[in-house]
Amino acid sequence: LNNPISDAELERRWRAVRAVMEKEKIDVLLMQNNNDHMGGYVRYFTDMPATNGYPNTVIFPADDEMTVVMQGPFNGDSRPPADVWRGVKRILTTPSYESAHYTQYYDPELAAKALAPYARGTIGLVGIYQMSFAMGDFLMKKFSGAKFVDASELVDRVKVIKSPEELELVKRCAEMQDGSMRAAFKAIKPGMRDTQVAAVAVHYSQDHGCENGIYLCASAPPGTPAKFSQRHMQNRTIKKGDVLALLVEQAGPGSMYTELGRSCVLGKVPQQMKEELEMVKEARKITLDMLKPGTPCKDVWETFNAFMRKHGRPEEARLYCHGQG
């Protein structure tokens, strides 16, 4: 495994979640993810990513090891290698594909096998926004005598408090992103396409522990708005004097995320950009000064928007300061 989470850390997570399950009288948790960009639950419990749009379903009992349902041959049923799938006693496989609608109940049928002992118990659903309708619909009909509850918040309250090991991984991710940004700006020159600049950042990141991520960028003449975008929209050729904005948002070792956005100018920096940079730095300081234990995220949001209004700038209307908690 690349940069595996330690056994001790995984066991700490399992103990913390099971303690809350016992308190809330939940017998088993069910979660499903299909990618490692937004696949935090499967990765958090198993240290194995869901990838490529293939659903990975995890059954996490309060009193037993986990069962995983994943893409593979029909009727697959095995005990996986203990040094790879830690805490997992059984992997069930079936060739299921979200783009092939007729396979929609293949995974739920296997999940039902693992959930059979809890047919009249309490089943906690984790991350229902990422769980397929087919999974929920099938299991709720199959186990009509069970009690289903949304356990997402229960798990999140455990997951959000980072251990020393997790904090160190967050720092390593941030350092990796600093390096990838420096590498991209060192390589940039007129004649390159936006996607080629992003590729430099990708290459550096993968060499330094990156597991996945997105690299958004866009170039434009000074004073021309340009919204950085995914690779499909990165075909513009950079010219002398252009401004390029680059966003590096990827997971580092252990699949911890940070995010870094910067702009560079291939020529003289306009005075307006210098002034706006100072405004950004001042807004950032206001936020950083508030990021202390006990501060409601809502207060940070409102303080930032009050600052923006005061200086005649548009308020944040989407997602500010991704890592607030």
Side-chain angles (χ1 to χ4, degrees), residues 27-45:
D27 299 301
V28 62
L29 297 179
L30 176 74
M31 63 203 78
Q32 183 184 69
N33 295 132
N34 67 6
N35 68 83
D36 199 24
H37 297 273
M38 296 285 185
Y41 295 114
V42 166
R43 183 63 184 268
Y44 186 77
F45 280 84

Side-chain angles (χ1 to χ4, degrees), residues 17-324:
V17 172
R18 285 188 170 117
V20 182
M21 290 172 68
E22 182 179 6
K23 181 180 177 181
E24 299 296 327
K25 295 181 172 52
I26 296 175
D27 299 301
V28 62
L29 297 179
L30 176 74
M31 63 203 78
Q32 183 184 69
N33 295 132
N34 67 6
N35 68 83
D36 199 24
H37 297 273
M38 296 285 185
Y41 295 114
V42 166
R43 183 63 184 268
Y44 186 77
F45 280 84
T46 67
D47 195 31
M48 294 292 282
T51 62
N52 304 91
Y54 294 137
N56 271 25
T57 305
V58 174
I59 294 89
F60 181 83
D63 57 357
D64 198 358
E65 291 184 300
M66 291 177 276
T67 296
V68 173
V69 176
M70 60 187 297
Q71 202 279 137
F74 279 121
N75 304 314
D77 188 345
S78 64
R79 174 115 194 173
D83 60 340
V84 177
W85 288 93
R86 290 164 290 170
V88 176
K89 69 174 184 178
R90 191 181 187 191
I91 290 185
L92 306 176
T93 65
T94 182
S96 70
Y97 308 96
E98 292 186 343
S99 55
H101 69 90
Y102 49 84
T103 69
Q104 62 187 326
Y105 292 124
Y106 290 7
D107 286 336
E109 287 169 352
L110 295 184
K113 288 185 178 181
L115 289 170
Y118 312 101
R120 296 199 173 277
T122 300
I123 301 172
L125 305 178
V126 181
I128 59 174
Y129 197 12
Q130 292 188 298
M131 191 175 296
S132 72
F133 174 83
M135 178 65 75
D137 181 57
F138 181 92
L139 293 177
M140 287 183 176
K141 290 175 180 175
K142 175 79 173 178
F143 300 119
S144 58
K147 178 182 178 182
F148 288 87
V149 298
D150 186 348
S152 307
E153 184 72 10
L154 176 154
V155 173
D156 283 353
R157 288 185 179 276
V158 173
K159 187 169 174 280
V160 74
I161 305 299
K162 305 303 181 192
S163 69
E165 180 175 330
E166 290 172 321
L167 289 173
E168 182 59 32
L169 291 170
V170 172
K171 292 176 183 177
R172 287 177 62 186
C173 182
E175 291 167 354
M176 176 190 69
Q177 290 187 350
D178 287 344
S180 64
M181 189 70 71
R182 282 194 296 267
F185 286 172
K186 183 178 180 180
I188 191 172
K189 60 185 178 181
M192 293 178 73
R193 291 178 295 128
D194 294 350
T195 189
Q196 291 174 304
V197 178
V200 174
V202 173
H203 184 267
Y204 179 96
S205 299
Q206 291 190 346
D207 269 354
H208 291 80
C210 174
E211 302 202 11
N212 66 70
I214 58 175
Y215 303 79
L216 310 183
C217 68
S219 62
T224 303
K227 180 180 175 64
F228 47 44
S229 302
Q230 300 280 356
R231 186 173 301 168
H232 186 61
M233 299 174 67
Q234 293 176 0
N235 197 42
R236 184 179 183 275
T237 299
I238 301 166
K239 301 177 176 61
K240 184 177 180 180
D242 278 352
V243 178
L244 179 127
L246 174 63
L247 177 77
V248 175
E249 182 179 358
Q250 85 275 62
S255 201
M256 292 294 175
Y257 271 85
T258 59
E259 179 177 344
L260 181 63
R262 292 289 184 269
S263 297
C264 70
V265 181
L266 282 74
K268 185 178 180 181
V269 181
Q271 182 60 32
Q272 184 184 11
M273 282 193 69
K274 294 180 180 180
E275 293 171 0
E276 289 301 312
L277 176 59
E278 293 306 313
M279 181 71 67
V280 168
K281 289 161 64 177
E282 187 177 350
R284 182 179 66 173
K285 185 177 186 307
I286 288 172
T287 297
L288 292 177
D289 287 346
M290 294 186 71
L291 292 185
K292 299 174 183 177
T295 304
C297 294
K298 182 174 183 288
D299 291 356
V300 182
W301 168 278
E302 291 179 346
T303 301
F304 171 77
N305 277 335
F307 172 85
M308 297 293 280
R309 288 193 301 271
K310 178 181 177 182
H311 292 87
R313 301 300 195 278
E315 295 181 37
E316 178 60 71
R318 181 176 170 266
L319 185 62
Y320 180 64
C321 193
H322 284 31
Q324 287 182 101

